[in-house]
Amino acid sequence: MTTRIYIRARDPQNGRRLVEELIADGIDPEAFTLIGQQLPSGLPVKTRRWRSDASALLRGALIGAAGMLAVSLLLLQALQPFALLTLIVIGAAIGGGWWLRRNRSANLPLSAQQQALQGGELLILADLPDAEAPRIEERVSQGHPELLVLGPDAGGSPPFP
């Protein structure tokens, strides 16, 4: 069994150094997931760019509008300008809504760290064997005061018994 621990780095480069150190000590790179706005490159770990709801909505709206414009121009070449504009707005609304919903569901487990992620901090998720998790937590807490070990709860508080 594994335990997921959360570690927050105010500076993404400090997070990078920790991950490199733990990988060098034998922890499988597949155990790590990095989430943030500015992700360190070149690490053999999973990453996910954190996006605010506004940026997800904008991205989805642009993709939806562009997709609807392309489809309408290819399939319905002789559209009135108002009909074309209506289809583009519908595509933007559908795309924006879909991306917003997708973004919110992906960010829900991390909602306690939303303010930190908006501020450019890096969140490190480490899936460690149950026996090793407490040792690694203690090691990071003692050896890396620049990092905040949140433990097995993304909110940083122990779960209810």
Side-chain angles (χ1 to χ4, degrees), residues 48-122:
R48 192 179 99 215
R49 186 164 309 282
W50 184 86
R51 287 186 169 78
S52 67
D53 285 346
S55 68
L57 180 65
L58 178 62
R59 180 181 180 158
L62 290 174
I63 291 171
M68 190 60 81
L69 176 63
V71 167
S72 63
L73 289 177
L74 289 173
L75 298 178
L76 310 167
Q77 295 175 358
L79 281 180
Q80 297 285 331
F82 180 74
L84 180 63
L85 183 61
T86 303
L87 287 175
I88 290 172
V89 169
I90 290 170
I94 292 170
W98 185 81
W99 273 89
L100 180 62
R101 182 176 174 159
R102 180 178 179 267
N103 190 61
R104 284 186 175 168
S105 68
N107 288 343
L108 185 62
L110 308 173
S111 60
Q113 298 301 323
Q114 180 175 344
Q115 204 170 20
L117 290 165
Q118 281 176 333
E121 295 185 25
L122 180 70

Side-chain angles (χ1 to χ4, degrees), residues 6-16 33-40 48-52 107 110 112-125 145-150 154:
Y6 297 86
I7 303 166
R8 197 169 86 196
R10 288 188 178 88
D11 179 8
Q13 293 310 313
N14 289 339
R16 175 190 185 81
T33 303
L34 305 180
I35 301 172
Q37 290 181 0
Q38 301 163 342
L39 296 167
R48 192 179 99 215
R49 186 164 309 282
W50 184 86
R51 287 186 169 78
S52 67
N107 288 343
L110 308 173
Q113 298 301 323
Q114 180 175 344
Q115 204 170 20
L117 290 165
Q118 281 176 333
E121 295 185 25
L122 180 70
L123 197 59
I124 303 166
L125 286 62
E146 72 279 7
L147 302 174
L148 179 61
V149 177
L150 303 171

